[in-house]
Amino acid sequence: MPPACLYLLDEPHVRVGEVRLELTPSRPAYLLVYLACQGAWVKRNSLADLLWPESPEEEARHNLRVNLHRARSLPWATGLEVERDRLRFPIETDVAQFRAALGRADWAAAVRLHRRPFLQDFPWQNTPALEDWAALERESLLEAWQNAAQRHAEALQQAQQHPEASLMLAEILRHNLLAEDVLQNYMRAAYLAGQREAALRLYERFVQELKHELGLEPMQATQELAASLRRAEPLQAVAPKPPPRIPLEVLRPPRLVGREAEQARLRDSTALLVHGEPGVGKTRLLQEVFPDSPLLRCREGLENVPFYPVLEYLKAHLEALPDLGHYREDLARLLPEVYPGFTPPPAEPSSAKARLLEALARALAPAGRLLFDDLQWADESTLELLLYLHSRGQPWTGAYRTHEVGPALAKAREALRSSGAAELALEPLGANAVQTLLADLIGTPQGPRLFSSWLHGQTGGNPFFALETLKALFENGVLRAEGGQWHTDLDEITQDYSELQIPPRVAEVVRRRVGRLSEPAQRVVQAASVVGEGFSPKLLAGVTGLSEWAVLEGVEEAEQGGIVVGERFVHDVLKQGIYRELSPTRCKLLHARVAEHLGGQADPQVVAEHWFRAASLSEAVRYWLLGAQTYMSASFLEEAIRVLERALPYAVGERQIEVLTQLAQANRELGRHGQAQAYVNQVLQSSPPLLWKTHVLVEEAWILLAQGKLEEALLAVEEGERCLQHLEPQPLEEGSLELALSKLRSNLAFRQGDFATSARILEPLLDRLRSHGPSVALAGVLVSLGGAYDNQGDEPRAIPVLKEALEVAQSVGARYYQVDAANNLLACLIRLGRTNEGLAEAAAALALGEYEGSEFLRNNLAVAYLSLGREPEAMQLFQQIAHQATDTMLRALAWGRLGELYSRHGLHAEAEDALNRALDNALGMDPEAAPVRLALVLLRQGTETQLRRARPILQAVNVENLPLPFREQYEQALNQRGFPLRNR
């Protein structure tokens, strides 16, 4: 059977397909009409009381059964559903259609559907309760129609459709002649439609009715309007009605609701990861609990920009940075603006990353608790820093989207969990919390129950979606703030607000909101969605072609619409919605314009990402290479590798060779020799230009040297030297090919024990480098040359060279060469019995912070203090080495030395514990690599149990190869403990 529709806002009838059936008064018809208007299930008791209020209960229920049977016989009642205790009649009605039109703010459709008042003049035979119900429905629906008709008439007037508007307004006045505001609108519309006499006649009727009913005269404005019509004067233009206003409370909710338990959990935590769906309120929660803590925002699209959120925060707070001491240069390599005019010296690859993390941690320490937002977009370096901060005990809280966890965040999350960080799942708000939220927004003790329930059901309790839904309703004019209350046209005619219609997706909400902006404002927010955060008026003006003044006006308009606040979007969901609506062509164009205006101002990787999204791959690769070169020069190798790997798939020709060569260098300096060699092979197989071939041969030689493949390394050096002969001469400086090949030659000789040849290769470089004054290259050659002299046993030549290296390194700020020179110099002086001469330089080098040679320098300084009888200072350094050194051998030696010192001072329990710790470290090494000095200590101080544990170490010592004085001490200790010598 075709679907039926019940018409109650017209001549009452039912239409089944094309057939019209008149609605005749009868109790079965009354029953079906009432059920149709309710829409939902209705209890039998309620129906019986409504239709037969005076009858006893059993009689009323009997009458209901009889009339139900009769109702089922009606041709349009096929959908009637009957259960034991309840009934429902799900038929389409024009009343439901009218409510739905109001719910979607379709005023024209609502007016069209309300042809006449609800069941007007329909006879209700002996059913006073039903008649009262119908009267109330009629009044409520008529009032809703009048509101809709007024809004429709306003739209007609705005469209200059004055005849249609006047007809609409006249119909409203037919039901309510005393509505003076409607009369004014009618008079204007009728006059503009050429119906001046009709307008004045209705005005006169209004005057008489007003006097008769209320004893009043028309308002002054109405009288003046009538006078203008009589004189046939042109009417003054009426200002367009302003767009519906969104209450400020909805744009910026006054407080957080329904999160008391979560707030308490955050306050009690030192390290916590908060996760939830987009819009659930993670950021608001963090800022509510920690309003004074800095918020470090990760950004979508910049996941490949190392330390992006941290650097953006530091750039904005340069004046608050603490004194970083020697770590200022480590931060300055990454953030030059932190110390204007300061040029940091080159970094040591092995210690640069560790020192950078320490520098960043120190720079962030005064801020106290740190808030990391949108960690699903965090780059790997930022996550590494977060782990480092966590290990230092700095309090932090992070937030991420539950279902957007990538590999980097998953790995970091597991590491944080295993080291004690807790997690908090932020769930959507419950129905009661949504009602409380509405109470706060409206400013009433309690939120509207029915509307709150509808809003919770529509949004699932997601606060952002709830607020966006409210904004959409206000923008559509469905929801209004009047007299301290919120109203809709459905308030009096709905049961559950199910008629309200909102866009099914937030993207549609965003589309509609942006569509209401002026064209300049639309251009502004579209460009802003491409920029992301920090879209300054100057930048947006350059991108959009508008003046800065026009941009400011556009931003203000977007702020009033709840889209942006300051130089960022109210929520990332809004930014994403606007960005995803851009056409591919427009998106590329905007990214290109942003890249052009940011070039030379923003981080190269940020510019590269814009060029990439503009499909300008060559420009993207160029900027990625600039960023990688910055990281390489600062020895932030892992960061450089990530940027280079990002560029590699899009690099072609010589740019590809450059990327591969830099990848080989970065991986080689990190000790990833297999990966580095693979990149070298790719370059060599591509027939590269001679310059790049030489560069990559240098890399290959360093790789082979590190792997102990000395003959192959020599072949690579010789080929590189042949290539160098055909290239234009370069200045002899750090990083030059000539210096690199000379260092390789010297290193090869040194590794083969030919220290004299190693020195002879370096000596000719000194005069050339000295002629240009102090430099990092000069410091490096001096340290290497001093080491070659020292290993020849030529301390008289080694000491002045190392002192010069120390001075040069200090003057150019080459900290790691300063550490190496101080370490080698102290070792020489100790052997010559001139220990005191090297103490000051060694202590000063240690104060610089941690470099690759710092642990060995600390050990030598401790030994020096011990030889001078300065045991407290020696003990302090050995304790630091024992607990903090990364080198296992040094830790084992330090614990052994502490065992001796504790025993000497009668601390026997501490001595035994120290030797046990020394053994724990040494037994994790190859026995033949264990320090002989530790074996001697164990023989002298160890317990029988410790000697049994130490047997693999003691048996691995080749006594014959020990220096004579040390051999005598060792043999004496073996004899005293009755321990057999190693088989000869």
Side-chain angles (χ1 to χ4, degrees):
M1 187 174 183
C5 183
L6 180 60
Y7 291 87
L8 307 175
L9 298 173
D10 197 346
E11 288 289 342
H13 69 279
V14 180
R15 187 170 291 279
V16 183
E18 297 299 320
V19 178
R20 174 180 172 128
L21 303 173
E22 298 303 321
L23 190 63
T24 55
S26 68
R27 289 195 184 240
Y30 300 159
L31 175 63
L32 292 177
V33 165
Y34 182 80
L35 287 172
C37 289
Q38 299 305 306
W41 291 98
V42 180
K43 292 188 175 297
R44 283 177 177 260
N45 289 343
S46 300
L47 286 169
D49 290 343
L50 187 67
L51 289 165
W52 297 278
E54 304 298 329
S55 302
E57 181 180 350
E58 284 300 319
E59 182 181 340
R61 289 180 69 87
H62 171 75
N63 291 337
L64 180 61
R65 287 193 296 273
V66 170
N67 282 277
L68 276 175
H69 180 71
R70 293 174 180 171
R72 281 177 162 172
S73 65
L74 295 174
W76 49 281
T78 55
L80 181 63
E81 300 176 24
V82 180
E83 294 185 358
R84 179 182 178 87
D85 296 317
R86 60 180 188 168
L87 299 93
R88 182 171 68 172
F89 186 30
I91 186 176
E92 183 70 30
T93 69
D94 60 351
V95 174
Q97 293 171 353
F98 173 69
R99 289 171 175 161
L102 295 177
R104 64 177 183 270
D106 188 347
W107 314 123
V111 167
R112 189 168 57 253
L113 286 161
H114 195 287
R115 297 174 179 82
R116 56 181 287 173
F118 176 75
L119 289 173
Q120 188 176 43
D121 301 328
F122 189 69
W124 299 93
Q125 300 168 354
N126 301 319
T127 53
L130 269 178
E131 189 170 3
D132 290 344
W133 163 78
L136 289 173
E137 285 286 292
R138 185 180 307 114
E139 183 179 348
S140 299
L141 290 167
L142 184 59
E143 184 178 351
W145 168 80
Q146 289 175 343
N147 289 330
Q150 280 185 262
R151 292 170 189 242
H152 182 47
E154 289 171 1
L156 291 170
Q157 285 178 289
Q158 292 291 329
Q160 304 296 311
Q161 298 180 27
H162 301 299
E164 294 86 348
S166 65
L167 287 174
M168 188 79 266
L169 292 165
E171 183 65 17
I172 299 171
L173 291 169
R174 190 170 68 82
H175 292 279
N176 184 8
L177 180 59
L178 296 181
E180 194 162 354
D181 58 332
V182 178
L183 176 70
Q184 290 179 3
N185 284 336
Y186 165 75
M187 291 169 68
R188 286 178 174 278
Y191 181 69
L192 292 171
Q195 302 167 10
R196 181 168 68 99
E197 295 302 324
L200 289 171
R201 282 196 302 272
L202 194 55
Y203 169 72
E204 294 301 333
R205 280 185 54 204
F206 166 77
V207 171
Q208 295 171 11
E209 189 76 13
L210 187 65
K211 184 73 172 178
H212 181 263
E213 292 291 333
L214 302 175
L216 297 175
E217 290 188 354
M219 292 185 293
Q220 185 67 30
T222 310
Q223 294 182 44
E224 290 175 357
L225 177 62
S228 294
L229 264 62
R230 290 191 187 100
R231 294 191 295 269
E233 296 175 348
L235 295 181
Q236 292 183 355
V238 178
K241 188 174 181 180
R245 184 182 68 86
I246 303 174
L248 182 62
E249 295 78 9
V250 177
L251 295 173
R252 297 172 187 173
R255 72 180 181 103
L256 198 65
V257 301
R259 300 298 192 198
E260 292 75 17
E262 291 88 348
Q263 291 184 66
R265 178 91 181 275
L266 256 69
R267 290 191 184 97
D268 293 340
S269 71
T270 56
L272 185 66
L273 282 168
V274 179
H275 64 90
E277 64 185 40
V280 79
K282 303 180 291 296
T283 306
R284 178 72 190 272
L285 176 64
L286 266 58
Q287 292 184 304
E288 185 86 7
V289 177
F290 306 114
D292 299 323
S293 295
L295 186 70
L296 281 64
R297 295 177 178 272
C298 307
R299 272 180 49 192
E300 184 181 21
L302 299 182
E303 299 91 332
N304 299 298
V305 182
F307 299 110
Y308 178 80
V310 180
L311 297 183
E312 286 300 291
Y313 168 74
L314 292 178
K315 286 176 187 176
H317 298 84
L318 293 177
E319 72 287 347
L321 281 178
D323 181 9
L324 300 182
H326 292 302
Y327 285 95
R328 68 194 287 262
E329 66 187 39
D330 300 283
L331 183 58
R333 292 190 189 100
L334 192 66
L335 196 63
E337 52 264 59
V338 73
Y339 301 115
F342 171 66
T343 302
E348 178 193 42
S350 61
S351 62
K353 184 61 173 289
R355 289 183 61 87
L356 173 62
L357 292 176
E358 179 65 19
L360 289 170
R362 293 185 180 205
L364 293 169
R369 182 182 292 270
L370 300 170
L371 308 179
F372 289 86
D373 198 18
D374 284 321
L375 281 170
Q376 73 276 357
W377 297 325
D379 60 275
E380 292 184 45
S381 299
T382 295
L383 294 171
E384 187 177 358
L385 175 62
L386 177 55
L387 287 165
Y388 186 76
L389 294 171
H390 181 63
S391 70
R392 286 170 55 98
Q394 182 158 359
W396 61 272
T397 305
Y400 66 91
R401 295 182 179 181
T402 304
H403 302 297
E404 297 183 29
V405 177
L409 177 57
K411 182 179 177 181
R413 187 179 60 181
E414 287 306 311
L416 290 166
R417 283 174 177 169
S418 64
S419 56
E423 290 216 7
L424 170 64
L426 196 61
E427 302 294 342
L429 297 175
N432 291 337
V434 171
Q435 189 170 358
T436 303
L437 172 63
L438 283 171
D440 272 15
L441 298 178
I442 300 171
T444 56
Q446 189 174 13
R449 184 183 59 80
L450 278 180
F451 185 76
S452 300
S453 177
W454 171 83
L455 185 62
H456 179 264
Q458 285 289 321
T459 63
N462 183 297
F464 173 75
F465 296 161
L467 291 170
E468 287 305 303
T469 298
L470 293 174
K471 292 174 189 176
L473 293 176
F474 274 109
E475 288 170 334
N476 289 341
V478 174
L479 192 56
R480 305 182 300 281
E482 298 169 349
Q485 294 288 328
W486 288 3
H487 302 285
T488 77
D489 292 315
L490 292 167
D491 292 341
E492 304 301 325
I493 59 174
T494 187
Q495 296 182 22
D496 54 10
Y497 288 95
S498 59
E499 301 88 357
L500 284 177
Q501 293 188 23
I502 60 169
R505 298 182 300 113
V506 173
E508 180 62 25
V509 174
V510 176
R511 188 182 302 117
R512 291 189 180 187
R513 183 169 308 159
V514 172
R516 293 189 182 92
L517 298 176
S518 64
E519 185 178 349
Q522 288 186 37
R523 288 166 63 183
V524 167
V525 296
Q526 287 171 353
S529 75
V530 171
V531 176
E533 282 191 15
F535 40 80
S536 68
K538 183 177 181 180
L539 174 59
L540 292 180
V543 173
T544 60
L546 299 169
S547 69
E548 286 191 45
W549 186 256
V551 167
L552 283 170
E553 289 182 337
V555 169
E556 288 176 1
E557 189 178 339
E559 280 186 330
Q560 292 166 3
I563 297 173
V564 303
V565 54
E567 293 185 359
R568 65 179 182 84
F569 283 86
V570 170
H571 198 284
D572 281 319
V573 173
L574 288 171
K575 177 182 75 69
Q576 291 170 331
I578 295 169
Y579 182 82
R580 289 167 185 167
E581 284 298 309
L582 296 173
S583 68
T585 302
R586 187 168 184 78
C587 185
K588 291 176 183 178
L589 175 63
L590 285 172
H591 274 294
R593 296 293 297 274
V594 171
E596 288 169 356
H597 284 82
L598 287 180
Q601 301 177 34
D603 291 338
Q605 307 89 277
V606 174
V607 180
E609 293 298 330
H610 283 295
W611 279 124
F612 177 71
R613 284 166 176 75
S616 295
L617 299 182
S618 62
E619 283 297 293
V621 171
R622 182 166 76 90
Y623 276 93
W624 276 322
L625 276 168
L626 287 174
Q629 287 161 7
T630 300
Y631 294 128
M632 290 288 287
S633 63
S635 291
F636 304 145
L637 304 173
E638 291 178 343
E639 285 70 25
I641 287 172
R642 292 184 192 118
V643 176
L644 291 166
E645 287 177 341
R646 176 89 169 120
L648 184 57
Y650 311 104
V652 295
E654 194 165 328
R655 283 272 169 81
Q656 183 184 53
I657 293 170
E658 184 179 356
V659 172
L660 290 168
T661 303
Q662 289 199 28
L663 279 168
Q665 180 184 346
N667 278 279
R668 186 262 302 170
E669 291 185 5
L670 281 172
R672 303 171 184 171
H673 299 129
Q675 185 61 59
Q677 186 64 56
Y679 287 126
V680 166
N681 293 342
Q682 279 187 260
V683 174
L684 293 176
Q685 290 166 10
S686 66
S687 300
L690 200 58
L691 177 64
W692 287 112
K693 183 178 180 181
T694 313
H695 275 295
V696 85
L697 285 169
V698 167
E699 290 306 319
E700 184 171 43
W702 283 120
I703 294 166
L704 294 168
L705 182 64
Q707 294 174 320
K709 300 175 181 179
L710 304 187
E711 291 184 5
E712 295 177 55
L714 179 59
L715 292 174
V717 169
E718 290 173 344
E719 188 175 357
E721 289 171 338
R722 287 192 293 272
C723 293
L724 186 63
Q725 293 174 3
H726 300 283
L727 295 173
E728 290 291 326
Q730 297 177 319
L732 188 67
E733 60 187 13
E734 191 73 11
S736 69
L737 289 170
E738 181 186 359
L739 184 60
L741 288 165
S742 297
K743 283 186 173 182
L744 279 164
R745 279 278 190 183
S746 176
N747 267 276
L748 282 166
F750 195 98
R751 290 285 297 271
Q752 292 169 329
D754 189 354
F755 306 117
T757 300
S758 177
R760 280 197 302 273
I761 293 170
L762 296 174
E763 286 166 345
L765 301 176
L766 280 184
D767 290 338
R768 293 173 60 190
L769 289 169
R770 282 172 175 153
S771 67
H772 297 292
S775 65
V776 175
L778 177 58
V781 169
L782 286 167
V783 169
S784 298
L785 184 58
Y789 290 153
D790 185 28
N791 278 275
Q792 291 180 68
D794 191 352
E795 284 88 358
R797 278 208 296 176
I799 289 173
V801 169
L802 290 170
K803 284 185 175 180
E804 183 185 358
L806 192 58
E807 291 173 3
V808 173
Q810 288 172 335
S811 68
V812 298
R815 311 293 189 192
Y816 54 97
Y817 282 143
Q818 190 176 339
V819 170
D820 282 350
N823 189 30
N824 292 344
L825 180 60
L826 181 60
C828 278
L829 293 170
I830 290 174
R831 286 195 298 275
L832 293 175
R834 296 160 54 186
T835 304
N836 274 317
E837 295 180 34
L839 295 182
E841 290 83 356
L846 273 183
L848 300 175
E850 294 302 309
Y851 290 94
E852 184 177 22
S854 297
E855 292 181 352
F856 293 91
L857 176 57
R858 189 174 290 110
N859 181 72
N860 280 346
L861 186 56
V863 172
Y865 285 146
L866 198 58
S867 70
L868 295 171
R870 295 164 63 172
E871 289 189 359
E873 292 162 285
M875 187 178 294
Q876 183 179 1
L877 286 174
F878 281 133
Q879 287 173 337
Q880 187 178 349
I881 297 167
H883 288 287
Q884 298 178 9
T886 57
D887 188 279
T888 306
M889 182 186 73
L890 287 180
R891 289 201 306 272
L893 272 173
W895 282 116
R897 290 285 195 177
L898 287 170
E900 284 184 300
L901 289 168
Y902 291 148
S903 179
R904 189 179 304 169
H905 290 277
L907 303 172
H908 300 297
E910 288 82 352
E912 183 177 350
D913 178 64
L915 290 180
N916 279 330
R917 289 173 178 260
L919 270 170
D920 290 342
N921 281 279
L923 290 172
M925 302 168 58
D926 185 334
E928 293 189 356
V932 177
R933 186 74 185 72
L934 175 59
L936 181 59
V937 172
L938 288 166
L939 285 170
R940 288 174 174 171
Q941 308 288 340
T943 64
E944 292 299 324
T945 300
Q946 288 170 339
L947 283 177
R948 284 195 294 273
R949 287 186 67 202
R951 185 173 291 275
I953 297 171
L954 298 173
Q955 288 180 337
V957 175
N958 190 336
V959 180
E960 289 182 346
N961 290 341
L962 298 178
L964 185 58
F966 204 80
R967 184 198 310 171
E968 291 173 353
Q969 296 177 40
Y970 196 77
E971 288 179 343
Q972 184 181 0
L974 285 172
N975 290 332
Q976 286 176 350
R977 299 305 295 265
F979 201 88
L981 290 172
R982 174 178 174 178
N983 294 332
R984 302 182 181 180

